[in-house]
Amino acid sequence: MKSKLIIIDDEPKAGRLMERYLEDFYDCQIFQDPLEAMEYFYQHSADLVITDMQMPNLTGAEVLAKIRANNSRIPVIVITAYSNVDNAIEALRLGATDFVKKPFDMEELKIIIDKA
């Protein structure tokens, strides 16, 4: 049985790219709206969450905090185009499993997911 991934990215192209590459390995649920993703997460959970950092409605840090409050064991990978040391430190301090800078290589992302 495939592991269940929730992917949250307000950029439609980024979500579709990840889904196309990862769907052979994982059961992917893609969301552009982090509020919808969290509603799904509370009802169905997931084995791993990938979230963008900068999004409307909820930031990746807020998504991460909500997931951690619900379940501290689920790996959360934060991705962002706005990579800086402060963002990485904040994400890791909040309990992110890893921090990935856009643009990223899909094979590298899959390795990070597999390790998580």
Side-chain angles (χ1 to χ4, degrees), residues 62-78:
E62 292 168 325
V63 167
L64 176 58
K66 288 179 178 295
I67 290 170
R68 286 287 164 261
N70 183 271
N71 185 324
S72 62
R73 294 177 163 211
I74 294 175
V76 178
I77 298 170
V78 175

Side-chain angles (χ1 to χ4, degrees), residues 3-105:
S3 295
K4 189 187 307 179
L5 264 60
I6 293 176
I7 299 171
I8 313 165
D9 196 317
D10 60 322
E11 276 184 48
K13 286 182 189 175
R16 283 195 304 269
L17 174 67
M18 285 185 268
E19 180 181 35
R20 267 197 305 263
Y21 186 82
L22 298 170
E23 67 186 353
D24 289 342
F25 311 102
Y26 308 102
D27 175 15
C28 300
Q29 300 297 316
I30 311 298
F31 296 91
Q32 291 176 336
D33 182 341
L35 294 174
E36 287 178 16
M38 292 311 303
E39 191 175 304
Y40 179 89
F41 173 79
Y42 291 136
Q43 292 176 9
H44 305 282
S45 193
D47 297 306
L48 184 136
V49 176
I50 299 173
T51 183
D52 191 13
M53 187 60 116
Q54 302 293 327
M55 299 178 290
N57 299 327
L58 285 177
T59 66
E62 292 168 325
V63 167
L64 176 58
K66 288 179 178 295
I67 290 170
R68 286 287 164 261
N70 183 271
N71 185 324
S72 62
R73 294 177 163 211
I74 294 175
V76 178
I77 298 170
V78 175
I79 56 173
T80 186
Y82 307 99
S83 179
N84 64 42
V85 174
D86 292 338
N87 284 349
I89 290 171
E90 179 186 14
L92 295 172
R93 183 181 56 78
L94 289 170
T97 306
D98 214 325
F99 185 85
V100 179
K101 185 178 183 243
K102 288 181 182 178
F104 50 84
D105 179 82

